[in-house]
Amino acid sequence: MKKLFLILIITLGLTLKSNAQIQSMAGPRLGITLIGSGETADMLTGYDDGPSTFTTQYGWQWESRFADGGNITGLAEWVVLLGGMERGKFLPSISSLIGFRTVEGFEAGMGPNLTLAGIGMVFGVGFTATSGKLNMPFNIVYSPCKDNDWIESGPTFSILVGFNIATE
């Protein structure tokens, strides 16, 4: 896992060094997350050793595309989300992903994820549909369990949608 992350960082660095064209975009994200059994799910449901539960997500995504003129474009993304608001709870998360998008719209990425339960990894796949300058991403995201000294959180599965507009 560490080797794959290092390879992605080196690839991104080489892309920047080669004076690649950079296009930045940002836009809202909405979604729903299934939180596996653990203390985070217990906090949301009010039950100790309770079942998995769902929560809504609301946030913003910043994306930088590193164009190389080929069929694949490198991506660097930051995603900030707030969950639990429908239950009066505050569950923030921030993720940084490095990945790629094909000319057909398929995309995949991975990177660190920070929540109240600690730091872990996040893995995402999806599709971005385009209509003129409008981009509409649909992503499925997985983050494994976070088990540390102060809280244990089950794995999470999210579906996120949103949009952004190309300014170039």
Side-chain angles (χ1 to χ4, degrees), residues 37-41 117 145-148 150-154:
S37 296
E39 292 178 53
T40 304
C145 295
K146 294 181 181 120
D147 187 6
N148 54 52
W150 66 90
I151 192 170
E152 176 190 343
S153 179

Side-chain angles (χ1 to χ4, degrees), residues 38-114:
E39 292 178 53
T40 304
D42 294 347
M43 180 192 67
L44 285 173
T45 62
Y47 299 113
D48 286 336
D49 297 323
S52 300
T53 190
F54 284 95
T55 188
T56 57
Q57 297 285 355
Y58 175 84
W60 199 262
Q61 179 228 13
W62 294 267
E63 173 183 305
S64 294
R65 296 179 183 179
F66 303 95
D68 65 356
N71 292 329
I72 296 178
T73 300
L75 300 174
E77 300 179 4
W78 287 90
V79 183
V80 176
L81 296 168
L82 291 177
M85 292 181 293
E86 75 283 358
R87 300 174 193 229
K89 305 294 183 182
F90 178 70
L91 295 174
S93 72
I94 184 167
S95 301
S96 175
L97 293 97
I98 296 175
F100 68 91
R101 181 176 298 126
T102 68
V103 75
E104 294 85 16
F106 172 78
E107 56 194 27
M110 63 180 269
N113 169 255
L114 179 64

